[in-house]
Amino acid sequence: MNDRMNDRGPVRWQRKTQPTATPIFTMPGWGTAIRRGLLMRCPSCGKASAFANWFNIRPRCPSCDAPLGDVPCESLPPYLTIVIGLAIIGIALILSDRHGHLDYRTSLLIFIPFAIFLQLVVQRPIKGVVLAVMMKLNMVRETHDG
Ligand SMILES: [Zn+2]
């Protein structure tokens, strides 16, 4: 017998708390927040780096204590980087081979390192912008410490 049942059938999922309209941390305007994200700084204060290492966001800002690690921005930045990178590489590939003289080995030697470069370098500012937008929209995971 499933214990997640009541007399009307299975218990439906319910949100534990109501979404709050007021942000739990102070945020600047959209332009400032996105600029700080592009510069990979904390979108809230801009005084510290938002990154703990090359890829990961800090759990909390050391300057203003904004909960950067509670923003669920793990999946969107790599996806956006792939979409943008595919567009850039696609255009570059078509333009470089428009006369049909580009050897496939040459194109592999050019475009595979270029694709790796895009993922390693372009993903950080994209992640910063996604972090800023999600913080502006108050999209922060529910914490259980208070
Ligand atoms: Zn901060």
Side-chain angles (χ1 to χ4, degrees):
M1 176 79 184
N2 188 351
D3 60 345
R4 294 183 57 84
M5 302 275 280
N6 62 17
D7 54 344
R8 288 177 292 164
V11 176
R12 306 187 108 213
W13 177 84
Q14 289 180 329
R15 181 187 272 272
K16 287 180 185 160
T17 56
Q18 292 298 312
T20 54
T22 52
I24 56 172
F25 39 84
T26 54
M27 283 294 291
W30 279 100
T32 305
I34 288 174
R35 184 165 30 85
R36 287 174 180 170
L38 262 178
L39 296 171
M40 297 163 278
R41 313 294 294 175
C42 166
S44 181
C45 68
K47 291 177 184 159
S49 171
F51 286 82
N53 52 41
W54 191 261
F55 283 115
N56 296 321
I57 300 287
R58 287 178 190 277
R60 291 197 164 270
C61 174
S63 179
C64 69
D65 206 37
L68 306 176
D70 293 338
V71 180
C73 63
E74 294 87 13
S75 307
L76 186 58
Y79 173 75
L80 287 176
T81 310
I82 289 169
V83 169
I84 293 168
L86 274 178
I88 294 170
I89 288 173
I91 291 168
L93 201 57
I94 289 168
L95 289 177
S96 65
D97 197 33
R98 63 181 177 270
H99 301 299
H101 300 305
L102 190 64
D103 181 34
Y104 80 93
R105 275 165 273 171
T106 311
S107 64
L108 286 179
L109 282 174
I110 294 170
F111 289 106
I112 287 179
F114 187 50
I116 293 169
F117 166 81
L118 280 176
Q119 273 296 322
L120 289 177
V121 174
V122 178
Q123 188 172 317
R124 274 167 59 90
I126 289 175
K127 196 170 211 171
V129 169
V130 169
L131 176 73
V133 169
M134 292 180 99
M135 284 176 76
K136 275 297 282 182
L137 297 174
N138 208 20
M139 295 171 73
V140 178
R141 282 190 195 99
E142 191 178 321
T143 54
H144 302 283
D145 56 356

